[in-house]
Amino acid sequence: ACTLSDGTSSQSCRDKSGALLALGTASTSQVPADMLPATTDAPYQFTVTVSKAGKSPATYTLSLTLVTQDIPNVELAVYGEFFRQADGSIKINANSVFKLDSTCSTNASKTQKWSTAQEVALTAPAFTVSTGGDSLIYTGEGSNALVAGASYLMTSSCTVVGAEETVVGSAEQVVVVNSPPAGVPCETCLVDGNDGAPCVKA
């Protein structure tokens, strides 16, 4: 059951449309996102009662404060030497130069960071990160450059510290590094100049 107190009395919880919140009798109950309005003076009280024949009922109550706080939306744009593939990933050469720009939707104070799922240091000389963290430039140089034939997941995260909690939004871009061209295996041999003479491998 769910109740909400106005300071003098308690009433059953209602969703944003005014309908009573139905939680059912199952062992697990879920309330969809954005269904309940934010709390004001008092938290929601969610109470579960477990009973069994011959036993005294056991009750537990959980208090929940619900706040309205937007999760920042992060969008990425790619510039430079790349090919956009059908699955949304980009393909580059190991020595290509490209730039990832990140846009965070919030006007609040925020922190933007870049990371990768692989063990790659996003530092110079192969990478340059802007002062505010909104841009990542790959120069294709240095020992920490991306490896040909490998794939990398680049993530831009935007963290906002709110009055009630810290929220994080993120966006990802898969970067595929093109493998260098390779021909069929070959070998060399010596011939004596006579037609039809066998080839002697060098």
Side-chain angles (χ1 to χ4, degrees):
C2 176
T3 58
L4 184 63
S5 174
D6 60 5
T8 57
S9 62
S10 296
Q11 58 181 342
S12 298
C13 299
R14 295 180 179 273
D15 61 22
K16 288 185 175 181
S17 68
L20 289 173
L21 181 65
L23 297 177
T25 58
S27 59
T28 301
S29 185
Q30 294 183 346
V31 179
D34 204 34
M35 173 174 280
L36 293 173
T39 52
T40 52
D41 298 328
Y44 290 104
Q45 301 286 337
F46 287 90
T47 302
V48 60
T49 300
V50 179
S51 58
K52 184 178 181 180
K55 301 288 185 178
S56 299
T59 300
Y60 179 79
T61 298
L62 175 69
S63 298
L64 176 66
T65 299
L66 188 62
V67 299
T68 300
Q69 186 169 345
D70 292 334
I71 296 176
N73 180 54
V74 179
E75 295 183 355
L76 295 181
V78 189
Y79 303 95
E81 305 164 3
F82 69 92
F83 172 74
R84 176 75 67 178
Q85 303 192 106
D87 60 0
S89 63
I90 62 171
K91 177 172 282 190
I92 66 167
N93 292 323
N95 60 348
S96 294
V97 176
F98 71 90
K99 176 184 178 184
L100 291 173
D101 269 353
S102 170
T103 302
C104 185
S105 62
T106 182
N107 292 322
S109 178
K110 61 184 181 290
T111 302
Q112 291 182 254
K113 291 184 178 181
W114 290 91
S115 62
T116 177
Q118 292 71 24
E119 295 182 358
V120 177
L122 302 181
T123 55
F127 293 92
T128 301
V129 179
S130 63
T131 302
D134 56 347
S135 295
L136 175 68
I137 300 174
Y138 174 66
T139 63
E141 301 178 357
S143 60
N144 59 333
L146 305 182
V147 178
S151 296
Y152 300 87
L153 180 64
M154 305 293 184
T155 301
S156 173
S157 60
C158 179
T159 303
V160 177
V161 179
E164 299 291 341
E165 63 178 345
T166 298
V167 292
V168 181
S170 64
E172 299 174 339
Q173 177 63 62
V174 175
V175 178
V176 180
V177 186
N178 202 17
S179 297
V184 297
C186 62
E187 58 186 18
T188 60
C189 64
L190 299 175
V191 295
D192 61 5
N194 297 321
D195 292 340
C199 176
V200 179
K201 292 183 181 179

